[in-house]
Amino acid sequence: MANIETPSWGKDGLYGLTSKWPVALDLAGSNNPCRLEGEVADLVVLGSIPTGISGTFYRVMVDPFVPPDERNVPIDGDGSISAFRFHEGRVDMRMRYIETERYKLERKAGRALFGLYRNPYTHHPCVRAAVDSTANTNLVYWAGRLLALKEVALPYSVDPDTLETLEYDPFKGQVNAKTFTAHPKVDPVTNELVVFGYEAKGLGTLDIVTYSLDAVGQKTGEFWLKSPWCAFIHDCVITTNFVVLFLWPFEASVERMKQGKQHWAWNYERPATFIVVPRRDGAGAQYGWTPGEHRVYSWRNCMPIHTAGAWESNDGKIYAESTRVHDNAFPFFPPEDGRMPDPETKGDFVRWEFDLRKPSGSMVPDPIVLLDVPSEFPRIDERFMGRPYNFVFLNVFIPKSSDGKKNIFQGLNGLAMLNKTTGVPQYFYAGDDSLCQEPIFIPRSESEGDGWVMTLVERKASNRCDIAVIDTKSFSTPVAIVQLPFHVKAQIHGNWVDATRREPGRSLARQYGEQIISGKGSLEPL
């Protein structure tokens, strides 16, 4: 029998064929787009789901439905919701795209119509008047609506059960702004959703707005101000009287956009900057602030990415905690000279101090390092949002594998539960070749930090995902693992919505807030 040689062009099984999908790290391997919609009932559970867990874990991921522009960045792409409903020890799963105007236009066309991130000058002319939002960053349940959020635009309202997209701008007519943060904060005492928007009057503008939405979605406390430059303002913290905006050292330039370049460019000359804004009239009067005043503070060039929480002290200071990267953590938005960040750049979790008696323009002291390991996505027991708290849950990198060997950094492979009173963290290791995503906390009692933490775990070697359910009383080992039947892309953010919030009556967070107001809860500083 004659020898038959395998043609060289067929050895890899691809036969030299190419795809319309661009070659990019965020679109390959374990980051392959899912593009799935549907339901799976009664997922396989290892261990047992605690009886106190009843509600839905919502998460949203960046999952382009059509091949994106080849210059696509990882934070762009259609938003897709995964909803995991926990009930009576069982877990059901539902996945569905958020049907934004952008998604519907591109799906109908069967190709990308939107170009660079937040750059309308690179979009197809037929879509330049469309809402350029993928609603892919966060999901927040408020005023009976599940809000799909992207800070470039206003919210989309989604049915919390079916995940059907209902409408754009559900709070319409109340605030004349074009943007709405992906990180609003719930004040559990006043039962308000604290909101801000930047580039609020349009592309490249310096306008910022802050306000609150009450329990039925009515606006209170609108406050307009100007940013010191057109900065990337992703996250914030709240206290009883103030909201603090965290400005990253990226700079937008409409002129650069018109040249077909990116919306954002890192600027090594810009400091990390913090704008403190009163939540209501007269909030700063006791510190010598004039009516309508806000104050700006800064530190050195760095990127304080996501916040945990903040509180006011009795001596006129705000303390706020966040993760920090000492260089540009978004290298896909380099500076104008194209410089890439130092590969040895450190990341950590820190506490910032703002003295409200100091004038605007003051430098803040060096932050206190609370956890000196690569950290991200800090979360707290959110019944304490805006007040002193003790426990923080974070994604972290754990340097040793299960057999004691050194892990090579490929992402955040564990969780930490930091007790700030003792300063001692406890760790959960996701496992070799595994990565953890943002933790969410579910309270069990009125005691802070008593409950469960959930995180979606990516099993890179087997190309699948699990949900780990961890009891905070025994943090290193999960009490249950929920196995997904397929791989899903990494989320940006997610949140837990307790079943009691979907029923008449007060939420547990609201009850706790009322206890603080009545003097039965603790507000003692740490």
Side-chain angles (χ1 to χ4, degrees):
M1 186 171 67
N3 287 331
I4 300 177
E5 293 187 4
T6 302
S8 60
W9 42 264
K11 285 183 178 179
D12 60 3
L14 300 178
Y15 299 96
L17 303 175
T18 59
S19 168
K20 293 180 181 178
W21 287 83
V23 177
L25 287 175
D26 60 303
L27 297 172
S30 61
N31 288 318
N32 268 329
C34 297
R35 300 194 301 147
L36 293 172
E37 294 187 292
E39 303 174 13
V40 182
D42 212 359
L43 297 176
V44 174
V45 176
L46 307 180
S48 59
I49 304 295
T51 56
I53 296 179
S54 180
T56 304
F57 172 26
Y58 294 101
R59 61 186 292 280
V60 64
M61 57 190 179
V62 179
D63 194 14
F65 186 81
V66 299
D69 186 290
E70 63 182 7
R71 300 164 295 176
N72 183 59
V73 297
I75 59 174
D76 209 2
D78 299 303
S80 177
I81 300 174
S82 307
F84 300 95
R85 184 147 296 146
F86 287 72
H87 59 105
E88 299 175 336
R90 302 195 301 273
V91 185
D92 301 328
M93 175 183 183
R94 177 171 286 161
M95 288 181 62
R96 191 163 181 175
Y97 273 100
I98 303 156
E99 295 190 358
T100 63
E101 186 173 8
R102 171 171 164 164
Y103 166 85
K104 290 191 289 187
L105 287 167
E106 291 192 326
R107 182 164 184 169
K108 183 177 181 180
R111 64 186 181 92
L113 299 172
F114 294 77
L116 289 177
Y117 180 73
R118 296 186 75 172
N119 185 347
Y121 301 102
T122 64
H123 300 347
H124 192 284
C126 73
V127 301
R128 286 183 182 170
V131 176
D132 182 13
S133 172
T134 51
N136 67 9
T137 308
N138 206 353
L139 296 163
V140 173
Y141 184 73
W142 191 254
R145 304 164 172 91
L146 183 63
L147 304 177
L149 302 176
K150 181 80 173 178
E151 63 205 54
V152 307
L154 299 170
Y156 277 89
S157 177
V158 176
D159 185 286
D161 295 315
T162 67
L163 305 186
E164 175 189 2
T165 304
L166 301 176
E167 64 176 325
Y168 178 67
D169 187 15
F171 307 112
K172 56 176 60 71
Q174 298 191 66
V175 178
N176 188 24
K178 297 179 182 295
T179 58
F180 186 108
T181 177
H183 282 291
K185 305 297 181 185
V186 176
D187 186 326
V189 174
T190 63
N191 206 23
E192 293 176 298
L193 187 73
V194 183
V195 175
F196 72 91
Y198 68 95
E199 291 185 75
K201 291 188 178 178
L203 191 72
T205 61
L206 301 181
D207 301 281
I208 300 172
V209 64
T210 68
Y211 56 96
S212 296
L213 295 169
D214 67 16
V216 294
Q218 292 299 305
K219 180 212 71 176
T220 61
E222 183 176 348
F223 190 103
W224 285 86
L225 62 146
K226 296 286 187 179
S227 181
W229 77 94
C230 190
F232 203 143
I233 313 176
H234 182 63
D235 205 353
C236 71
V237 292
I238 62 170
T239 67
T240 301
N241 294 299
F242 298 92
V243 54
V244 184
L245 309 177
F246 281 52
L247 281 64
W248 295 345
F250 291 100
E251 191 160 10
S253 164
V254 173
E255 194 55 44
R256 183 173 61 244
M257 293 180 227
K258 288 179 178 179
Q259 297 170 12
K261 298 178 182 179
Q262 295 286 3
H263 186 108
W264 297 115
W266 183 265
N267 187 338
Y268 282 103
E269 302 304 313
R270 294 286 186 191
T273 299
F274 312 88
I275 303 179
V276 182
V277 185
R279 286 178 54 188
R280 56 190 61 85
D281 291 340
Q286 61 182 313
Y287 307 115
W289 293 29
T290 59
E293 183 180 0
H294 67 277
R295 294 196 177 177
V296 180
Y297 303 93
S298 60
W299 193 67
R300 297 195 294 272
N301 184 264
C302 73
M303 191 168 169
I305 303 184
H306 286 108
T307 65
W311 64 95
E312 295 171 42
S313 68
N314 294 328
D315 59 353
K317 294 178 180 178
I318 290 176
Y319 296 95
E321 295 173 349
S322 78
T323 55
R324 174 183 61 167
V325 173
H326 292 251
D327 204 328
N328 178 8
F330 283 3
F332 42 86
F333 296 138
E336 293 278 13
D337 61 11
R339 196 182 343 168
M340 288 290 102
D342 185 340
E344 302 300 319
T345 295
K346 284 191 61 176
D348 48 23
F349 178 67
V350 300
R351 179 183 299 153
W352 305 93
E353 177 188 300
F354 311 107
D355 190 335
L356 302 177
R357 297 162 301 186
K358 289 190 175 180
S360 189
S362 299
M363 291 283 289
V364 300
D366 289 349
I368 297 171
V369 177
L370 301 178
L371 196 59
D372 193 14
V373 297
S375 311
E376 241 296 55
F377 302 115
R379 301 296 293 264
I380 65 172
D381 182 336
E382 292 178 357
R383 298 172 296 176
F384 289 77
M385 187 65 72
R387 281 84 192 165
Y389 56 89
N390 187 43
F391 292 99
V392 185
F393 309 97
L394 312 95
N395 285 111
V396 295
F397 173 65
I398 295 174
K400 288 188 177 180
S401 65
S402 54
D403 60 5
K405 295 180 180 179
K406 184 178 180 180
N407 275 323
I408 298 173
F409 182 83
Q410 295 179 325
L412 302 176
N413 57 7
L415 300 179
M417 181 174 75
L418 175 63
N419 181 327
K420 295 193 297 178
T421 297
T422 65
V424 178
Q426 298 180 56
Y427 292 102
F428 164 75
Y429 179 51
D432 301 342
D433 296 314
S434 298
L435 299 176
C436 273
Q437 297 175 24
E438 180 181 41
I440 51 113
F441 173 74
I442 305 167
R444 171 171 41 205
S445 70
E446 293 181 358
S447 298
E448 185 200 351
D450 177 45
W452 304 276
V453 170
M454 277 187 198
T455 181
L456 194 133
V457 177
E458 180 185 355
R459 309 295 185 190
K460 292 178 72 70
S462 54
N463 197 34
R464 64 178 183 83
C465 294
D466 298 329
I467 297 173
V469 183
I470 305 160
D471 193 317
T472 59
K473 290 181 177 178
S474 180
F475 196 72
S476 62
T477 305
V479 295
I481 294 288
V482 182
Q483 294 187 323
L484 277 60
F486 47 79
H487 181 274
V488 294
K489 283 192 71 178
Q491 70 194 57
I492 296 190
H493 292 290
N495 283 291
W496 173 259
V497 177
D498 197 86
T500 58
R501 289 193 62 192
R502 304 292 309 283
E503 299 170 359
R506 298 170 300 163
S507 68
L508 185 58
R510 178 64 175 160
Q511 292 176 45
Y512 191 81
E514 289 169 350
Q515 289 174 8
I516 291 178
I517 289 173
S518 68
K520 296 179 181 178
S522 173
L523 271 179
E524 291 300 315
L526 299 175

